[in-house]
Structure formats: structure tokens, C-alpha cells
Amino acid sequence: MNQAELDLFNDKLDAHAKEVERFHGEVANVTRQIANCDKLVRLANTGLSQIDHKIAEAVRVSAEARAIADEAGAQASAAATTATQAAVGAMVAQLQDATEAARKTSLSLNILQFKTGGWIAVYTVLVLLCCLATGALTSWALRGNALTPEQAHYVELGKAHEALLANASDRELKQITAIRNRPPKKDQDK
């Protein structure tokens, strides 16, 4: 083999090494996006219990308001004097305040869930578009080159995540959005 052939071989070897390095970078990119999808699903699962807690709290407030209403009704029926009627009137006003607060809390939760669902839907579409763009870019970069078993595994894992997001129900998307839009924990405690 002469020097020109050896130089040509080394140039081809260097070009192939650069292509392999670029491909590994793209695979790492896909892996990061898949990890982001996993993180979103974990966040969604974590937030489901918090959303359930908020709903249970709203139900409890409503039950307390109903109990106060029942008590106020019993006192009103037993009242015989103007002073007793005034006390019942004050209790009814408090009950109305509590009921209004419960109604506003429930309305606020419904609006928050709607907004959260919208943001989750937008985020899901963006993630899917990124996954599709990354897949197209990887496919273009490979142009028929064989994948290693590890790379094929990552491709299948990406497809599985994409299928999970694509098949998510509106309720799941709303819950994921609710989790993303939830204020920081220390603000909730105040």
C-alpha cells in the first residue's frame, strides 16, 4: 500500500469517526428527551395525590357548610324571640360566607385544572414534535446505517414514551398541566 492510499484510508477513517461521534451526540440528545418525558410522568403521578387532596378538602368544606346549614335550620325552628332570630340570622350570614368561600374555592380549582390541562396539552404537543424532529434528524443522519442493539433499545423506548403521551386522556393531560402550574410548596402552606 503506498502513501497516497494510506492517507486516503486515514481520511476515510477520520470522517467515519466524526460521523460516529456526531451520531452518539444525537443519541444522547434523544436519551435526554426521553428522560424529560419520564420526569413529566413522575411529576404527573406526584401531583395526582395533591389534586386528590385539594378535592377532598373542597368536599370537606362543603360538608361542614352543609352541617352548619342544618344546625342553623334547627336553631331557626326552635327560635321564639327576636333575639334568637337575630342570632340565627348571624349564623345564616356566616353560613353564606362559608358557602361562598367553598363555591369560590371549587370554581378556582376548576379554572386551575382547565388552565393546567391546556398547558399540558401544549407541552405534550411540543414534546411530541421534538421527538418526531429528533427521530427524523436521526433517521436522516443514519441514512440506512445499522443500529447497535443499545441504540435500537433507545429507539424503542422513545417510541413507547411517545405512544404513552399520544394516548394520554384529557383528564391525564389536565392533571399533568395542573401539576406544572401548581405554585411552589412553601406558597401553599401560607
Side-chain angles (χ1 to χ4, degrees):
M1 183 181 275
N2 64 29
Q3 184 61 35
E5 290 175 340
L6 188 58
D7 288 344
L8 180 62
F9 176 76
N10 285 334
D11 288 345
K12 285 182 179 180
L13 188 60
D14 288 343
H16 179 71
K18 286 178 184 177
E19 185 70 21
V20 167
E21 183 179 328
R22 186 178 62 78
F23 175 75
H24 282 280
E26 290 173 359
V27 169
N29 224 355
V30 169
T31 303
R32 279 192 299 277
Q33 289 178 3
I34 290 170
N36 286 339
C37 291
D38 285 341
K39 183 177 180 181
L40 179 62
V41 170
R42 283 194 309 273
L43 286 173
N45 289 334
T46 302
L48 287 177
S49 63
Q50 292 176 354
I51 290 170
D52 289 342
H53 176 71
K54 292 275 187 185
I55 292 170
E57 183 65 19
V59 169
R60 184 190 64 77
V61 168
S62 177
E64 286 179 5
R66 191 175 305 274
I68 291 171
D70 292 343
E71 183 180 334
Q75 289 178 0
S77 66
T81 63
T82 305
T84 304
Q85 290 176 354
V88 169
M91 290 170 64
V92 168
Q94 289 176 353
L95 173 62
Q96 287 173 343
D97 291 344
T99 302
E100 183 63 22
R103 186 190 67 77
K104 286 180 180 178
T105 300
S106 176
L107 182 62
S108 175
L109 282 174
N110 289 340
I111 290 171
L112 180 63
Q113 286 177 343
F114 177 76
K115 287 180 181 178
T116 302
W119 280 112
I120 287 177
V122 168
Y123 181 78
T124 301
V125 168
L126 289 175
V127 167
L128 288 174
L129 288 175
C130 287
C131 289
L132 290 173
T134 303
L137 182 63
T138 302
S139 175
W140 176 80
L142 291 177
R143 284 175 267 182
N145 294 337
L147 296 175
T148 66
E150 181 181 356
Q151 293 165 344
H153 170 74
Y154 284 124
V155 168
E156 291 302 318
L157 187 61
K159 287 179 183 177
H161 282 282
E162 182 179 348
L164 284 175
L165 287 174
N167 293 327
S169 69
D170 288 344
R171 181 174 182 230
E172 291 168 330
L173 294 175
K174 286 179 183 177
Q175 289 172 341
I176 292 171
T177 302
I179 292 164
R180 291 187 62 234
N181 290 336
R182 188 176 60 237
K185 183 141 181 94
K186 60 181 170 181
D187 290 344
Q188 290 177 353
D189 296 338
K190 290 184 180 178

